[in-house]
Amino acid sequence: MTSTESIRKPFPAIVGLSAVIASFLIWLIYFKGKVAAPDWVAALPAANASFNSMSALCLMLGYINIRRGNRPVHKRFMLTATVFSALFLVSYITYHFFHGDTIFPGRGLIRPVYFFILITHIGLSMVALPLILATLWYSLRGRFQFHRRIARWTFPIWLYVSVTGVVVYFVLRAYTA
């Protein structure tokens, strides 16, 4: 098997899974509509921001450790970032199952700034998911040449999505409280 064939092997499944998840989220947020929510659902946006914050922190600490050559610590931080991102995704789906879309009421300069951040956040989150899965796939299989090649793209996109998720939460909170 050539190196090109080897690197592409998991991509059909990863891209397919990512497309299904993205399609489901679009339906869930924009088309499903609201359902009567239990009281605890109101706490999920703060939990989501916390999961994103912890993911971003683990990503940075993982990056620092791989730059120092400390692979075991890097691996632990990156797996922990993956867990926090997975917890975020489950919490995000749960929240939007009950709540649907959140309308941004802000006016003036904050409106285009908010929507720029939100649109880049959403777009890059759809790119991040298959990249994260592929990076994780190659790492767990010991295919570090491919892992490094993909991680160079995955890391900044994943970090941006994690950080902007927190920014979106705080901007929404400031304008909807």
Side-chain angles (χ1 to χ4, degrees), residues 87-123:
L87 289 170
F88 162 81
L89 185 58
V90 169
S91 178
Y92 182 85
I93 289 169
T94 302
Y95 177 75
H96 285 287
F97 173 81
F98 290 107
H99 188 270
D101 190 17
T102 302
I103 305 300
F104 181 66
R107 300 283 176 238
L109 181 59
I110 190 62
R111 194 166 181 82
V113 170
Y114 170 78
F115 280 111
F116 174 80
I117 294 168
L118 180 64
I119 290 166
T120 57
H121 170 79
I122 291 169

Side-chain angles (χ1 to χ4, degrees), residues 27-161:
W27 170 80
L28 183 70
I29 295 168
Y30 297 108
F31 298 104
K32 184 190 137 303
K34 294 182 182 181
V35 175
D39 292 338
W40 55 265
V41 169
L44 292 180
N48 293 342
S50 297
F51 292 141
N52 271 328
S53 297
M54 295 307 295
S55 179
L57 178 63
C58 288
L59 289 169
M60 290 302 303
L61 293 171
Y63 178 79
I64 289 167
N65 276 282
I66 200 60
R67 300 306 295 168
R68 291 180 178 167
N70 193 343
R71 275 189 182 180
V73 174
H74 164 77
K75 182 178 179 180
R76 284 194 296 268
F77 276 121
M78 300 315 281
L79 289 173
T80 304
T82 304
V83 168
F84 280 124
S85 290
L87 289 170
F88 162 81
L89 185 58
V90 169
S91 178
Y92 182 85
I93 289 169
T94 302
Y95 177 75
H96 285 287
F97 173 81
F98 290 107
H99 188 270
D101 190 17
T102 302
I103 305 300
F104 181 66
R107 300 283 176 238
L109 181 59
I110 190 62
R111 194 166 181 82
V113 170
Y114 170 78
F115 280 111
F116 174 80
I117 294 168
L118 180 64
I119 290 166
T120 57
H121 170 79
I122 291 169
L124 288 173
S125 70
M126 288 190 250
V127 172
L129 181 58
L131 287 175
I132 292 165
L133 293 174
T135 305
L136 190 60
W137 170 274
Y138 288 117
S139 172
L140 294 176
R141 279 155 184 73
R143 305 295 307 267
F144 296 113
Q145 175 187 2
F146 300 126
H147 169 77
R148 278 190 299 273
R149 197 180 304 173
I150 297 170
R152 286 190 176 104
W153 291 94
T154 306
F155 172 73
I157 293 171
W158 190 0
L159 184 61
Y160 179 85
V161 169

